[in-house]
Amino acid sequence: MENCANIIHDYYLLISFQIEVKKKMDENLRKSVTRWRLASAALVVLCALLIILVIGIVMSKNREIQAKDVPSCGLRFKSNMDTSEPEHPDIFHDLTSREMKAVQNYLISVPELNLELSNLRMNSSYIAGIDYILPPKKDVLAYLDDSRSPPARKAKVIILRGDLNPPVVEEYVVAPLSNPSSHTLIDYPNRRNPVAFSMRPFTGIEFKGISEVMKKVDEQIGDILRESYGATFNDCGDTCLYYLPNIVSSAITGDFTRRMWLQVAYLVEYYTIHPVDLLLYVNVDGTDPSQFRVEKVVYGGQYRNSLAELAADYVSGDVVKSKMTFPTVDKNLFSTLHRRGFPASPTEEQRQPQFVEPDGARYRIKHRQIEYMNWRFHVRMATYNGPQIHDVRFAGKRIAYEIGLQEIAAFYAGDAPTFRMANYIDSVASFGQQARALVPGVDCPETATYLSTRQVSDNQEGSVKSERSFCVFELNTGYPLRRHLQYYHFRGSFYGGMVDNCLIVRTILCLNNYDYIIDFIFHQSGIVETKIVSTGYIFGGVYNDQEKNYGFQIADQLVGNIHHHLFNFKVDLDVMGTSNRYETLDIKLVNVSNSKWLNGLNTIQSQIKFDRSLKKTELDAVYKYNFDTPKEHIFHNDAFKTRFNVPRAYKVQLSGMSKQILPEDKLNERSIPWARYQMAVTKYSDNEVSSSSIYGNSDGLQPVVNFTQYLADDENIVDEDLVLWMSMGMYHIPHSEDLPLTQTPGKHMTILISPYNYFPEDPSMSSRDQVRVQLKEPSNPKAGVRVDRYFNKPNTACVSNYKETDFDKDVEENPRNILDV
Ligand SMILES: [Cu+2]
């Protein structure tokens, strides 16, 4: 029994052991399975990583192969771009930095000029600008055409003589530029020099002076400003007031005292559309800012003769108090330029289309001379007049000696005196000094080449470089220059076409609130276009019922007042030399009888014809657009005809004509007499360089440059060197979509200069850009078609080098390349 019990016990032990073993084994197995599972999982992950790694390596290898195989765009032809400043500038070249410095150094050494370069005050003698004086045209042409030696380079220096009594503005010629040794007050036969100090151009020094007035305003009515607007001019932290100045013309005030209306506004992004209902009429005459004073004040539409009067009436309750709130400045503020509004578009983050020049730029730049296809010309930035092109040639022949901006004006209207008297003649700001940085990919295409310009203005020694103030690029307009498809076999079956690829030279002038884009456009068909387009912020006022016929209310308390933009350009055409004629082709109605072929029926049919009309004198040639007398305008040299005895001419065409309806010769209209005509044609004169002047904003009572005098002598213009003065413009009644910025579509004004019987056919027929399609076998259409292109096909693929971030990096590292810092 005991044995039996032992056996059972042993058996039990055995079973227990077995169970234990099994348990252990199970556990081991489980552990081992888990381990295997973990190992397998790790292996899978490892494999996946390996696969990813291999794919990555293969892809990057592919990319390398691709990068090796696909070249960067433009490498096929080494581009020929030398945008540097030359040691020896050519005849049209702006003053170089060395020349500007030499002029400055020379003038500083002249004791009687009493020039200062730092810590300038209104009563200092200081340089407001230095510009190159283009030599007399006959000397330039003798150099260009007859290999004569180049005339000496000279500079025109405008000096504000606040140190003299009475203070004046003086214009000097300084020469020679290689090593200046003389300065002479320019003796103009038809304009005065010096000019009264009150006619002076804008300078930073004057703004410093005006800030003295603002201190007085704070002292006298600071409490009113704080209570009414929650802001002041000084010691104001983030809640400051600022002002937009309008120089009031002497033609309106009737005397030569310098006065301005200041529209007071909140200093936020951007102040010209955050006005408050405070207007100040300030006397800023003379050179002592402590004498600058407020002569009238308009507070909440209520006129007072002084700040003291306003303060007294405010205390006594004799004015209705205004209440405006400082705007909340965040990205949703309507006047700021942050992205906002509808959900972001496109919905996916996709970049904009980009430009590519697969074989490199097709134009050349040597300093400031540019060549493109058959075109060759020089570009410069005149300090006072702005962008100009010179010696414009097509296929070696000069077409224009000069095409350039003369003036930009904006005449406002309104019930408020600020608007009524805001007649901006913008060259008061010296256009060349306002041409600033262009942003790649926005202002000019990615492929553009940039030119810089230099300016000397107040308060600085040497010149300041404006980086990227011109851009040059070839534009594929994506629009055919010409095309025809003839798909019927019985009419020949062919296609011929060419896209309008053109070269553009662009600059943008930033004139306080407005930005003006100016383009010179060169088409391959021998057409040169000059274009001006406006964008930027409007100048707004505080809305009230009296303004309702002058503007719409477009935001809380904001009115966008009606104004007239006006532009004037000079076109010195030289068609086959300088002996030119101006003819109009007058389109007229003619009645003809059809009786000869209509079986004797006396049917009178009206149709159109043209008569050639030679313009004989300057007054005979003034052109005011008239819908009832359609005409074409052609210019030619009478000695050059086609083999059919037709004048080889250039035609001038304007788009963007706008009638100036203010009465002639009244008040400030006297400052823009050029705007009376869409075109005026004068005989070239070295003394009629410009239609306007930097004094135009003030001098209406007695204009320094009086354009009417250019016409009044009514000179003969037959077979003479002719200059065209072209005016364009547009009325602008701002609407809410002008917020925050006015947009460019619909605001393109152009002057088109086109060959007109000048070439035997369209000169773009020589372009490689055209495409022809024809039947392989004209008699057998079924044999298919052939496409002809006029270049040996290079490798068709290339990689664009352009990166948006290149610009970002540049301005982060060199902030002065875009903003004053
Ligand atoms: Cu406008």
Side-chain angles (χ1 to χ4, degrees), residues 514 563 565 732:
Y514 267 115
H563 54 280
H565 291 277
H732 186 185

Side-chain angles (χ1 to χ4, degrees), residues 753-771:
I753 301 168
S754 325
Y756 196 81
N757 295 317
Y758 185 93
F759 296 108
E761 65 169 3
D762 175 0
S764 79
M765 287 309 295
S766 64
S767 177
R768 290 182 189 278
D769 292 348
Q770 53 201 316
V771 176

Side-chain angles (χ1 to χ4, degrees), residues 73 354-358 446-447 798-800:
C73 295
Q354 290 184 355
F355 283 67
V356 172
E357 292 172 324
E446 301 82 355
T447 47
C798 66
V799 179
S800 167

Side-chain angles (χ1 to χ4, degrees), residues 456-604:
V456 170
S457 56
D458 54 85
N459 219 5
Q460 64 208 12
E461 202 171 340
S463 55
V464 170
K465 191 175 184 184
S466 250
E467 206 58 66
R468 298 192 184 95
S469 52
F470 271 118
C471 67
V472 183
F473 56 93
E474 187 179 11
L475 181 70
N476 181 331
T477 61
Y479 201 84
L481 179 70
R482 52 181 164 78
R483 64 90 73 185
H484 181 67
L485 171 64
Q486 187 40 260
Y487 49 88
Y488 283 124
H489 181 225
F490 57 86
R491 287 182 191 152
S493 297
F494 64 93
Y495 168 85
M498 174 177 161
V499 70
D500 188 5
N501 289 320
C502 52
L503 188 84
I504 299 188
V505 178
R506 173 171 297 165
T507 189
I508 304 183
L509 306 181
C510 307
L511 304 175
N512 192 7
N513 52 319
Y514 267 115
D515 301 63
Y516 294 100
I517 304 168
I518 297 153
D519 284 357
F520 299 106
I521 306 170
F522 302 85
H523 298 270
Q524 292 185 54
S525 50
I527 296 171
V528 56
E529 237 182 299
T530 303
K531 182 185 284 192
I532 187 158
V533 187
S534 45
T535 176
Y537 280 102
I538 62 161
F539 159 34
V542 173
Y543 185 80
N544 60 46
D545 278 349
Q546 287 75 49
E547 299 291 356
K548 72 171 186 288
N549 288 121
Y550 299 107
F552 292 105
Q553 183 174 2
I554 51 175
D556 290 338
Q557 296 171 308
L558 179 68
V559 59
N561 284 60
I562 186 171
H563 54 280
H564 196 187
H565 291 277
L566 289 155
F567 310 102
N568 189 246
F569 284 84
K570 175 183 181 182
V571 178
D572 181 346
L573 271 189
D574 284 351
V575 184
M576 295 289 185
T578 54
S579 173
N580 284 177
R581 294 178 165 208
Y582 166 37
E583 271 185 22
T584 54
L585 308 180
D586 298 341
I587 297 162
K588 291 182 176 164
L589 196 67
V590 61
N591 296 321
V592 291
S593 165
N594 291 335
S595 60
K596 271 186 201 158
W597 58 278
L598 276 181
N599 300 329
L601 287 173
N602 189 17
T603 318
I604 301 297

Side-chain angles (χ1 to χ4, degrees), residues 334-372:
F334 75 96
S335 55
T336 63
L337 303 184
H338 304 278
R339 200 199 74 73
R340 60 174 170 268
F342 295 117
S345 52
T347 45
E348 301 297 327
E349 288 189 21
Q350 293 169 285
R351 284 175 294 173
Q352 66 189 4
Q354 290 184 355
F355 283 67
V356 172
E357 292 172 324
D359 301 313
R362 307 197 299 177
Y363 54 93
R364 287 157 197 237
I365 301 179
K366 182 74 176 164
H367 306 307
R368 293 296 176 268
Q369 180 177 290
I370 300 172
E371 283 179 35
Y372 170 67

Side-chain angles (χ1 to χ4, degrees), residues 45 70 130 270 442 453 555 599 619 644 650 676 709 719 771:
V45 169
V70 183
I130 303 183
Y270 187 64
V442 183
T453 50
N599 300 329
L619 288 174
F644 311 110
Y650 254 78
R676 293 171 195 169
Q709 285 178 358
D719 303 332
V771 176

